[in-house]
Amino acid sequence: MALLSSMAAQQNLAPSSSGALIASVNGSKLRQTHAASKPAPVLDLPALQAASRVLQEQLVKDSQIVPDLGEMICECAPYMSASPSSASYTVFPDDYRAPFQKRRHIGIPESLWQYYTSTNLATHMGLLPEIDRVWIAIDHNLFLWDYVDGQELSSFTDQPDVITHVALVKPKSGVFIDEITSLLVICTPVTVLLLGVSTTPVIGPNNQTRKDIKLYATDMSVTCDVEMISVIGTPDGRIFMSGSQDGNLYELHYQEKEGWFGKRVQLINHSVGGVQSLLPRIGASNPDDRILSLVADPARNVFYSLTAKNTISVWRTNGDKHVQHLQTLSNLYKAAQDKVPGSPALTPQNFSIIALHVIDTSESRSGVQLVAITTNGVRLYFSPSSFGSTYGWTSSSAPGFRNLSLVHVRLPPPNLIHPDEQSRPFREAPGAFGAGQGQQQQPTSRPYIITTLEDTCYDLGVTIAVHRGDVADTDYVLCMAPDLTQIGSLGQLRGPQMQQSPQYVSHPYATTTVANRVPLTERATLVPIPGLTWGIASMPRSKYSLATSSPANTPAPLITNELATQFSEPARQYVILTNGGLHWVAKRRAVDALKEAIEEFQVEGNAQPLIDLRDSYGRDQTCAMLLAIASGNTFLDPMEQSPLGSMSKVSAELAAVARQAFYDFGERPTWAERVTYGTSEGSGTATFSGRREGLALYFARLVRPFWKVKLTNAGAHGQQELSVPDDILAIAQKNLFALKELLDTNPYLFHSAPGDYTGARSATASEQEAWKAEQSSVSQLFSLLSRTIEAISFLLLLNDHKLGELIAQCDPDIQKLVSSLTFEDLISSDKGVTASRALVNVIINQQIGQQISVDTISEVLQQRCGSFCSTDDVMLYKARENVRKAVETRNPIERQTWLGESLRLFMKGARNLEFDKLREICGDYQQLSYAKGVVELPLHCAEVFDADLQGREYWIAGCPASDPRAPFWERRKHCYELVLDSLSVFEERCVPGKQSAAQIDDPETVRGHAYELAFASEDEMFHSTLYDWLIGRGMADELLEMRPAYLEAHLRREPVTVEKYQLLWQFYVKDGQPLRAAEVLAILAESTQFNVPLETRLEYLTLAVGNAKSHPVSVGGRHETAIAFLTDLEEKLEVAQVQLELYNTLLPRQHDAEVAERFKALSSRLYNITELYQLWADPLDLPLIKLLILHVSEHRDESMVRPIWNRIFEEGKASLLSTTEGAEPKVAADRIMAKVIPLGQRYYPSESAFPLQHVASLLVRFALAHKGDIPHGWAPRILVQCGVPYPEVWDILHEMYESQVPPFNEQANVQAISSDIAVLLTDWIEDARRPQSAASRGDFPVFRIDQAVDQYLTELEPGRTETKAAYESITRQLRRHW
């Protein structure tokens, strides 16, 4: 066995190893102090939750490993297989195995002894463990002896009669003052009186808490005809008792005041008149069957009576002064006989029930309710059941009550060893009694048979009874308790029923046990007690065990499962009162036995007891107990003598053995491979080692009192308060911390042996997997252990700062959250993290509000519970304190220093800064006019909140819809909005009349500084947001003047808008880049995505042309490109002008059916010249537009242009005034003139749109056609007005004059043209003579005109006098002026 050799080695190493232990402990403390300065590790919630699930599994196991009492003894459903009787006991011959041991004795105080030993005085005494007192009545004097203190006595001597019986009961509410928490009922042969008792806990010797009592006279007493015995109280304060002489059931009724219908105190005999019963009278007042004792069952709201003839009755209170008799159980001997036929323990002579005891619901969930004990130790168990014996039993059909029946008979131990023979000398040699050896040393005498039990006590599965000894002045105490090694499923090596070492007996009279059922097996022993016993009582359970009740939905262990409770409460104790004083007997727990086995190993080197215990309790349970011993669990001391929660003193040598045993017994983890068919892959599960299981089990048991409990419950004044007393938490924390220190200083405990570890060649793949799984699980449990220790520190700290008030200061959501959390949630869930952060913030705010430095509290938080208050959190708290100092100081330099320091700390702790807090801080900075803070902090937070740059990527991608990165950008944007908000606040303060007297700094300076910092930022996304904001506030011009770094990129960024491009071209103009401005304007003009009016497009093109022309020749060598671009722009501008004219032309007809769609399309974009012709001018037959298009496109096509002009003339000639063929010639002439002159002025000299020859021909022909009606010179004058130079007009007319082509072959027409020429030349000379004339005198063809005039005169008809005079005038003018 590895243990044996390693233990031996350990013995030699003990001193040095303890030295190493001390060194490593000190080292760990040093590490802790350094750790405070390191950043707190990130909380791994999934690991904590995984470990928490492991604890939950252990808690569930604890609730299942020990069977319910009903499972072992009941025939009732669902345990129909249970046997009707049993007599299985484990009896060990040696003191070492004895399940009970005497622990302490205190003698009766000297001051009482003289009275007590006097033969003349009547003495009675008994125990009142609820108030830690023994009552001793000597004649009429009552003494209350405080056995915790040892000598303290209280006395009551104010009544004259001999006191025979004293009991302690609860008072009725509202009758006495609040201090009175219980009543002493004092019985004498002739009176019963009440004394009030108040108790106050005080610290006694050895730092133990004792109860200080005060007695209050109540003036409540009543005379009686019979002496009262067996007094009980109910939870609502009613008092019942039985008469010693008549055996009747009485009630002492009391009320606050005398009333019409009753005295203040009265005695009611329920056996005679007051009982409500549906049963026939059972002759309660028959002296042969009088009531001997009463037993209260407060949990079930009933009480029981036992009579001299072994009859049990069940009663219930039923309204003031009334009781209801529910059931009578008689003929119990016959019923018991049927369960165990032929047993010598059951004969009519020895069948006498001496006591009834209530079975607590925590011991039997299945409802076993009552146990009756006979004088020779037979126990009868009763349960509400439709089964079982019911001989002669009568019952009422009371609502809510199920009749009791006898379900099981438990015979006394047949194999008890006489106390004189039970001692250590029976063990001849080490290992002689080993579990596996079967070498049981048999006692020499016959077994000790129980015959006459007197006092009995039953407490949570443990039966204690006093038997008169066979030696003078000695009593034997029979102690029996469930044997967990036999009834529990603890993973023992052998099944529960195969153990051979103890004298394990299935009594021959018991029916055979049924398969699949664990029979009730108990350990039994006799403990000798000197003196004659007066009373026996269980000590009240420790306050640690009663601290919390598990919530309904969580698994709780049965009270009989001591393995689950031994680490969180002391051993159970029983106090026995004899005529010589008090004796304490303690129930030995498994951990006590294990500790003693280790001590024996140290002394004698015998490892067998350790191995026996391991085999009895199973590997995992043993490992859990070894951890408790190695770490010095608080409750190792069975007597709870140590001060509150101090760690048990375990020697270094003992701890070393426990550690080594833990390591050796723990074995190694294993791996079970599961192959999935059809695939090459396999998966598996680890079976953990006993070390991991022991750790999980011990850890779970330490936290069980609070793990699943709600953190808080509603306390006084409506505030929340901690639901678990803080000393319970403190003790659990000490034990957890001791465990953590043990594990920290002995890391090898969870490492594999040298040949086992993962890297070893010998380790197979599956072994490696098993070790990996174990290491991972242990690591998670370590994390949870540290976090739990910190969580308790955190809660205790909050409690010191008035937890209720702190919670009340939280937001309603947080208040609701905190009230819903369990301890487990706080430690291992997101909700817990949220709640704890909120509470830390509140406590820090409170400190800041009270102007207390946060350094102290934050240091305490970090040292004690770093995972609840990280370094970042502390930085934030200190930063907020600096802001407070800045508010308070009057010195501007100091203020800037505090603000600067606060900003530095806020920026360092930014990742923990919630947005709401950030907004609050910016608000503070605004108030203090701290421009640097309001700009830099939100911008820094924007970077921190988007550390992975997801928001940036989203922004660069143009913010696509339904993108998972959107929330990161939103968080950034919110930060930017805080900066903009501050800028607008600073803007407002600069408005005249808005300045407040409280302003510290000059608003203009603050605003300027804020803008300077904002523009200095290198965050392009912020700049973009800032520019949008400024543009929205109408500050675009200022922005263009500044031309900040990212403005160009912002204005070019998708999605583009007209507004952005308008600013962009202006930006380029201001930046001296006109060509770029022209490019942007061209994009704007030609864009199809913007809804821009046609006039505006034209405007953009015009501006584009202007800017392109301003491009300097040398810039960037783009001259040729620039010229090509300009040319293109100019052409586009011309075409756009055509489009606009077309638009204006169609405007009056925009609602016509054929025009509407085309008109609408015109304003949507710019078209090229071909499109304008083909889509509009031609289909809509618009002659003037066609001319314009021909002009702009410079397309020369006589066949196109001539018909257009012909049509213009036709329209001119068409009737305006009458419906006859034509208009008046003069009117037609005027209309033609009105049409031709503007066109000529516009298009001349363009042959494409203004074919001069053709137009002149049309004019002349029209004039010739209406010679008499149209004045001479009409046609040439129109051409001159069109802008055609005189020489050209003259050339055309002269050509017609000479041509002889029809109609100029007719003399009349030739003469008419001659008259036109005369008018033309006259006008020309007139014009040439004007000083600023375009037809300057130098270019005037005097000679040629002179010759031509001569020709015209020669060929002129004589009748044309007017023309002749004109020519002659021309000649004279020429002579005169040239």
Side-chain angles (χ1 to χ4, degrees):
M1 182 78 202
L3 179 71
L4 297 170
S5 56
S6 60
M7 290 279 182
Q10 198 72 27
Q11 295 290 82
N12 302 330
L13 287 170
S16 60
S17 64
S18 67
L21 178 79
I22 293 162
S24 59
V25 169
N26 292 338
S28 79
K29 283 178 182 158
L30 276 171
R31 282 198 299 278
Q32 281 178 329
T33 52
H34 287 308
S37 60
K38 291 181 187 170
V42 178
L43 208 54
D44 185 356
L45 286 178
L48 294 177
Q49 285 156 1
S52 184
R53 286 193 293 277
V54 171
L55 295 196
Q56 176 66 5
E57 286 164 18
Q58 302 301 334
L59 294 176
V60 170
K61 272 188 207 166
D62 265 351
S63 69
Q64 296 169 346
I65 53 173
V66 173
D68 189 285
L69 178 63
E71 289 177 51
M72 297 184 285
I73 66 169
C74 270
E75 292 180 82
C76 46
Y79 314 116
M80 298 300 291
S81 63
S83 68
S85 67
S86 62
S88 310
Y89 292 88
T90 310
V91 177
F92 289 101
D94 60 320
D95 183 61
Y96 158 72
R97 293 271 190 167
F100 291 84
Q101 285 183 325
K102 284 184 287 190
R103 287 288 181 182
R104 191 155 63 107
H105 168 257
I106 300 179
I108 289 174
E110 282 295 324
S111 50
L112 273 182
W113 192 250
Q114 52 189 343
Y115 293 108
Y116 181 63
T117 50
S118 167
T119 51
N120 307 330
L121 302 172
T123 307
H124 297 82
M125 54 184 163
L127 287 160
L128 302 171
E130 299 88 347
I131 56 170
D132 299 338
R133 296 295 187 274
V134 171
W135 67 268
I136 300 174
I138 300 174
D139 269 6
H140 67 282
N141 299 307
L142 174 66
F143 298 96
L144 296 176
W145 167 32
D146 176 356
Y147 53 72
V148 175
D149 179 86
Q151 297 299 318
E152 178 78 20
L153 284 173
S154 314
S155 61
F156 173 70
T157 56
D158 295 351
Q159 62 87 42
D161 303 304
V162 173
I163 296 170
T164 55
H165 184 68
V166 175
L168 193 75
V169 296
K170 281 184 77 171
K172 288 180 182 174
S173 63
V175 176
F176 306 104
I177 58 171
D178 291 345
E179 281 78 9
I180 294 177
T181 51
S182 42
L183 293 176
L184 277 180
V185 184
I186 299 171
C187 303
T188 75
V190 290
T191 56
V192 178
L193 65 98
L194 301 179
L195 280 185
V197 181
S198 73
T199 59
T200 316
V202 292
I203 301 298
N206 297 330
N207 281 337
Q208 275 201 296
T209 305
R210 51 174 282 268
K211 289 173 179 158
D212 216 1
I213 65 167
K214 276 188 190 164
L215 300 179
Y216 296 83
T218 64
D219 295 331
M220 288 188 180
S221 67
V222 65
T223 56
C224 48
D225 304 330
V226 292
E227 183 184 327
M228 295 298 164
I229 56 170
S230 192
V231 178
I232 60 163
T234 64
D236 57 357
R238 293 176 70 174
I239 303 169
F240 296 94
M241 52 196 78
S242 63
S244 172
Q245 290 83 0
D246 61 7
N248 285 348
L249 174 64
Y250 289 91
E251 179 179 0
L252 178 66
H253 177 78
Y254 61 97
Q255 57 195 38
E256 194 176 359
K257 298 189 178 85
E258 297 275 344
W260 285 100
F261 303 106
K263 298 177 182 173
R264 190 160 175 241
V265 189
Q266 65 184 112
L267 208 55
I268 301 166
N269 185 342
H270 287 301
S271 295
V272 174
V275 84
Q276 300 168 342
S277 179
L278 307 174
L279 318 177
R281 179 69 54 222
I282 56 164
S285 51
N286 175 356
D288 293 343
D289 199 16
R290 57 199 179 83
I291 294 173
L292 297 178
S293 66
L294 300 173
V295 177
D297 187 350
R300 301 177 182 93
N301 200 25
V302 294
F303 62 94
Y304 312 98
S305 63
L306 172 67
T307 70
K309 287 197 170 177
N310 300 324
T311 301
I312 299 170
S313 292
V314 189
W315 311 79
R316 180 161 67 190
T317 57
N318 191 11
D320 203 23
K321 300 189 187 178
H322 294 288
V323 293
Q324 186 176 1
H325 180 204
L326 299 173
Q327 183 185 5
T328 296
L329 297 130
S330 52
N331 281 336
L332 289 172
Y333 171 68
K334 180 77 176 76
Q337 189 77 38
D338 285 354
K339 301 267 184 198
V340 205
S343 166
L346 278 176
T347 64
Q349 294 75 33
N350 63 16
F351 186 79
S352 171
I353 297 174
I354 56 166
L356 302 178
H357 296 288
V358 174
I359 294 175
D360 194 87
T361 48
S362 60
E363 181 190 351
S364 172
R365 298 176 184 132
S366 57
V368 181
Q369 188 164 326
L370 187 68
V371 61
I373 303 178
T374 70
T375 186
N376 65 337
V378 175
R379 281 169 287 171
L380 311 177
Y381 289 91
F382 297 89
S383 173
S385 165
S386 51
F387 302 93
S389 313
T390 52
Y391 294 93
W393 297 356
T394 49
S395 64
S396 68
S397 55
F401 173 73
R402 287 172 61 207
N403 287 330
L404 295 180
S405 58
L406 176 63
V407 291
H408 191 82
V409 175
R410 178 114 178 111
L411 298 171
N415 52 348
L416 276 172
I417 298 168
H418 193 286
D420 292 347
E421 297 170 8
Q422 178 159 340
S423 58
R424 294 182 84 83
F426 274 105
R427 287 176 34 236
E428 291 176 343
F433 63 97
Q437 327 263 323
Q439 302 172 6
Q440 176 61 47
Q441 175 76 26
Q442 295 297 330
T444 52
S445 62
R446 289 172 59 248
Y448 189 88
I449 303 299
I450 299 299
T451 54
T452 49
L453 294 179
E454 293 183 0
D455 256 318
T456 64
C457 164
Y458 183 91
D459 170 56
L460 305 174
V462 175
T463 311
I464 309 265
V466 175
H467 195 278
R468 286 282 172 254
D470 50 12
V471 182
D473 288 338
T474 299
D475 282 347
Y476 296 153
V477 180
L478 169 65
C479 306
M480 298 177 285
D483 184 354
L484 298 188
T485 65
Q486 299 299 320
I487 65 172
S489 309
L490 311 175
Q492 305 98 315
L493 291 178
R494 291 178 293 282
Q497 303 192 26
M498 291 172 62
Q499 191 155 333
Q500 298 148 12
S501 72
Q503 294 183 7
Y504 170 85
V505 177
S506 278
H507 199 276
Y509 300 104
T511 54
T512 53
T513 53
V514 184
N516 300 329
R517 185 185 66 79
V518 178
L520 174 58
T521 303
E522 291 177 293
R523 287 193 169 178
T525 190
L526 285 172
V527 179
I529 297 286
L532 299 175
T533 305
W534 275 90
I536 182 168
S538 62
M539 295 293 285
R541 280 184 79 196
S542 159
K543 65 177 178 180
Y544 306 120
S545 58
L546 303 171
T548 59
S549 54
S550 297
N553 59 343
T554 57
L558 283 166
I559 199 68
T560 44
N561 180 5
E562 250 180 2
L563 293 170
T565 56
Q566 61 186 347
F567 307 131
S568 53
E569 58 181 274
R572 274 191 265 150
Q573 297 178 55
Y574 304 88
V575 62
I576 297 156
L577 172 64
T578 69
N579 54 3
L582 284 173
H583 297 266
W584 273 266
V585 170
K587 164 100 174 59
R588 281 169 98 234
R589 305 161 297 175
V591 71
D592 302 326
L594 187 62
K595 188 176 169 209
E596 284 167 26
I598 294 174
E599 285 165 352
E600 181 182 336
F601 171 78
Q602 283 184 287
V603 175
E604 300 179 15
N606 176 18
Q608 193 58 45
L610 271 173
I611 296 164
D612 289 350
L613 280 163
R614 191 271 315 271
D615 295 345
S616 298
Y617 286 101
R619 179 194 73 178
D620 300 348
Q621 300 290 341
T622 308
C623 283
M625 291 189 275
L626 287 166
L627 270 185
I629 293 167
S631 60
N633 182 280
T634 325
F635 296 101
L636 286 181
D637 179 359
M639 288 303 285
E640 198 187 352
Q641 285 279 46
S642 52
L644 173 70
S646 63
M647 302 311 292
S648 300
K649 301 286 186 290
V650 176
S651 70
E653 293 79 8
L654 187 78
V657 176
R659 289 198 302 271
Q660 188 60 50
F662 172 77
Y663 189 86
D664 288 344
F665 285 165
E667 299 172 343
R668 64 174 75 179
T670 58
W671 184 259
E673 195 75 35
R674 281 201 311 274
V675 178
T676 313
Y677 290 100
T679 68
S680 58
E681 291 176 19
S683 62
T685 50
T687 302
F688 295 113
S689 72
R691 285 175 270 172
R692 185 275 196 185
E693 293 292 337
L695 169 63
L697 202 48
Y698 182 47
F699 186 179
R701 286 169 177 174
L702 290 179
V703 298
R704 184 179 54 78
F706 57 85
W707 193 247
K708 290 284 183 179
V709 179
K710 286 266 193 286
L711 274 183
T712 63
N713 48 27
H717 317 302
Q719 287 190 337
Q720 296 287 311
E721 60 184 27
L722 206 53
S723 60
V724 179
D726 48 9
D727 54 347
I728 303 295
L729 292 175
I731 285 186
Q733 186 187 38
K734 282 187 176 177
N735 285 319
L736 292 165
F737 187 76
L739 172 63
K740 180 177 184 298
E741 206 158 41
L742 171 74
L743 303 177
D744 286 347
T745 50
N746 298 280
Y748 74 88
L749 289 178
F750 286 95
H751 291 170
S752 49
D756 294 345
Y757 68 86
T758 313
R761 287 180 189 168
S762 58
T764 64
S766 64
E767 281 174 344
Q768 290 185 26
E769 285 300 322
W771 277 113
K772 211 181 288 176
E774 168 132 334
Q775 291 295 337
S776 167
S777 182
V778 167
S779 163
Q780 290 169 347
L781 286 167
F782 278 17
S783 301
L784 187 63
L785 178 62
S786 300
R787 173 84 171 158
T788 306
I789 292 167
E790 291 190 2
I792 295 174
S793 290
F794 180 60
L795 285 168
L796 294 175
L797 181 78
L798 292 178
N799 215 30
D800 291 344
H801 285 81
K802 298 184 180 151
L803 177 64
E805 290 177 16
L806 295 176
I807 294 172
Q809 290 173 38
C810 293
D811 297 339
D813 289 351
I814 295 291
Q815 291 186 31
K816 199 170 169 188
L817 180 64
V818 172
S819 65
S820 72
L821 289 179
T822 62
F823 281 76
E824 180 189 24
D825 293 335
L826 174 73
I827 290 163
S828 63
S829 76
D830 282 326
K831 296 186 296 183
V833 173
T834 307
S836 58
R837 297 275 307 265
L839 287 165
V840 170
N841 284 335
V842 167
I843 198 170
I844 296 291
N845 282 337
Q846 193 184 65
Q847 299 278 302
I848 292 173
Q850 293 166 358
Q851 304 196 341
I852 302 168
S853 168
V854 295
D855 283 2
T856 315
I857 185 80
S858 54
E859 275 169 30
V860 169
L861 279 165
Q862 274 212 281
Q863 280 170 5
R864 293 193 202 164
C865 37
S867 65
F868 288 84
C869 178
S870 67
T871 318
D872 285 353
D873 290 335
V874 171
M875 276 190 280
L876 298 182
Y877 303 141
K878 289 184 176 174
R880 278 161 59 198
E881 188 176 25
N882 285 334
V883 173
R884 176 177 63 79
K885 288 176 180 172
V887 171
E888 288 166 8
T889 184
R890 294 295 173 96
N891 181 331
I893 295 167
E894 265 184 29
R895 187 173 68 251
Q896 287 304 314
T897 307
W898 289 128
L899 287 171
E901 181 60 14
S902 76
L903 177 61
R904 186 183 69 79
L905 291 169
F906 277 135
M907 286 169 82
K908 275 183 85 175
R911 65 179 173 165
N912 281 5
L913 203 55
E914 289 161 14
F915 182 74
D916 288 344
K917 277 276 170 286
L918 174 61
R919 183 163 45 210
E920 205 178 289
I921 294 159
C922 288
D924 291 342
Y925 281 163
Q926 282 174 16
Q927 292 298 314
L928 293 161
S929 299
Y930 186 44
K932 188 174 168 70
V934 295
V935 175
E936 291 187 357
L937 180 59
L939 291 181
H940 179 71
C941 287
E943 296 286 333
V944 171
F945 292 170
D946 184 27
D948 298 337
L949 301 180
Q950 300 235 36
R952 180 184 169 82
E953 288 166 16
Y954 173 74
W955 180 80
I956 289 168
C959 305
S962 308
D963 191 296
R965 298 169 296 182
F968 294 96
W969 161 241
E970 284 300 317
R971 290 181 74 184
R972 262 187 183 267
K973 200 166 114 187
H974 290 324
C975 294
Y976 300 153
E977 283 163 359
L978 287 178
V979 181
L980 304 181
D981 175 61
S982 299
L983 291 175
S984 58
V985 168
F986 294 155
E987 285 276 5
E988 275 176 40
R989 288 186 190 163
C990 294
V991 176
K994 287 279 180 92
Q995 284 99 333
S996 69
Q999 278 176 337
I1000 310 158
D1001 299 304
D1002 172 43
E1004 292 284 349
T1005 311
V1006 174
R1007 179 182 66 174
H1009 187 37
Y1011 274 116
E1012 192 181 312
L1013 290 162
F1015 282 114
S1017 162
E1018 291 181 4
D1019 182 343
E1020 186 181 349
M1021 288 170 282
F1022 167 66
H1023 275 272
S1024 191
T1025 313
L1026 173 65
Y1027 302 155
D1028 278 339
W1029 179 77
L1030 287 169
I1031 292 163
R1033 291 172 70 92
M1035 297 170 76
D1037 292 345
E1038 290 88 334
L1039 200 55
L1040 291 171
E1041 286 301 327
M1042 287 176 65
R1043 299 199 297 286
Y1046 297 99
L1047 183 57
E1048 180 183 355
H1050 167 70
L1051 295 175
R1052 281 192 166 279
R1053 198 182 124 65
E1054 294 288 340
V1056 292
T1057 61
V1058 176
E1059 293 75 16
K1060 277 189 181 176
Y1061 271 13
Q1062 280 181 325
L1063 290 171
L1064 184 61
W1065 77 260
Q1066 293 176 61
F1067 170 83
Y1068 285 137
V1069 168
K1070 301 228 181 240
D1071 203 40
Q1073 301 185 62
L1075 194 61
R1076 285 203 154 182
E1079 286 166 357
V1080 174
L1081 283 161
I1083 291 168
L1084 268 176
E1086 294 176 54
S1087 160
T1088 52
Q1089 71 187 93
F1090 304 134
N1091 188 15
V1092 180
L1094 192 53
E1095 293 93 329
T1096 313
R1097 291 178 188 273
L1098 204 63
E1099 188 185 326
Y1100 290 148
L1101 275 177
T1102 312
L1103 287 165
V1105 169
N1107 277 295
K1109 286 178 176 172
S1110 327
H1111 177 65
V1113 174
S1114 60
V1115 174
R1118 292 180 60 195
H1119 191 56
E1120 287 175 15
T1121 321
I1123 291 171
F1125 177 58
L1126 172 60
T1127 310
D1128 184 47
L1129 278 181
E1130 287 175 328
E1131 287 173 359
K1132 283 177 179 168
L1133 176 59
E1134 281 188 308
V1135 175
Q1137 286 165 335
V1138 173
Q1139 186 171 334
L1140 180 63
E1141 193 156 327
L1142 174 58
Y1143 178 87
N1144 291 331
T1145 303
L1146 293 180
L1147 194 57
R1149 297 168 57 193
Q1150 60 177 308
H1151 301 300
D1152 294 1
E1154 60 169 344
V1155 173
E1157 279 302 312
R1158 285 189 163 96
F1159 178 77
K1160 199 171 166 189
L1162 267 180
S1163 55
S1164 64
R1165 67 178 179 89
L1166 294 179
Y1167 294 88
N1168 63 36
I1169 201 79
T1170 310
E1171 288 170 328
L1172 290 176
Y1173 188 85
Q1174 290 175 350
L1175 300 175
W1176 279 273
D1178 198 31
L1180 296 176
D1181 193 20
L1182 304 169
L1184 298 180
I1185 297 299
K1186 287 180 182 176
L1187 275 186
L1188 181 56
I1189 288 170
L1190 290 169
H1191 168 66
V1192 168
S1193 62
E1194 297 178 359
H1195 179 70
R1196 298 186 65 163
D1197 185 345
E1198 294 284 326
S1199 64
M1200 281 175 77
V1201 75
R1202 286 189 171 191
I1204 296 170
W1205 277 103
N1206 293 345
R1207 186 167 159 201
I1208 290 168
F1209 273 81
E1210 288 308 317
E1211 284 173 3
K1213 292 181 209 173
S1215 168
L1216 249 186
L1217 305 171
S1218 66
T1219 54
T1220 55
E1221 270 306 300
E1224 291 282 330
K1226 282 184 180 170
V1227 174
D1230 288 344
R1231 283 171 53 213
I1232 287 170
M1233 199 167 135
K1235 286 194 171 208
V1236 172
I1237 291 171
L1239 292 171
Q1241 287 172 343
R1242 183 170 184 184
Y1243 299 133
Y1244 177 82
S1246 163
E1247 280 299 317
S1248 310
F1250 194 77
L1252 184 56
Q1253 292 282 1
H1254 184 63
V1255 173
S1257 167
L1258 289 172
L1259 285 169
V1260 171
R1261 283 166 194 264
F1262 179 79
L1264 293 179
H1266 302 91
K1267 290 189 198 76
D1269 300 315
I1270 291 174
H1272 299 306
W1274 175 80
R1277 275 181 168 162
I1278 287 176
L1279 289 172
V1280 169
Q1281 277 178 279
C1282 284
V1284 184
Y1286 287 102
E1288 273 194 57
V1289 181
W1290 180 36
D1291 286 346
I1292 289 165
L1293 288 178
H1294 185 72
E1295 193 182 323
M1296 288 177 185
Y1297 180 83
E1298 297 277 10
S1299 73
Q1300 299 297 314
V1301 177
F1304 307 116
N1305 55 357
E1306 292 177 24
Q1307 192 56 36
N1309 292 345
V1310 172
Q1311 291 301 314
I1313 285 175
S1314 180
S1315 297
D1316 285 343
I1317 289 172
V1319 173
L1320 173 71
L1321 293 174
T1322 306
D1323 290 349
W1324 188 0
I1325 288 170
E1326 276 301 311
D1327 193 37
R1329 283 180 57 203
R1330 278 201 295 275
Q1332 262 72 43
S1333 165
S1336 60
R1337 294 171 72 163
D1339 297 335
F1340 192 68
V1342 182
F1343 179 70
R1344 191 175 151 218
I1345 292 171
D1346 191 37
Q1347 279 187 323
V1349 168
D1350 287 348
Q1351 182 190 349
Y1352 299 144
L1353 278 171
T1354 311
E1355 294 169 3
L1356 189 68
E1357 283 182 352
R1360 290 185 171 269
T1361 53
E1362 197 181 325
T1363 306
K1364 184 181 180 186
Y1367 281 138
E1368 288 170 349
S1369 170
I1370 289 164
T1371 306
R1372 279 197 302 277
Q1373 297 278 7
L1374 291 173
R1375 301 280 186 277
R1376 187 179 305 152
H1377 299 294
W1378 279 277

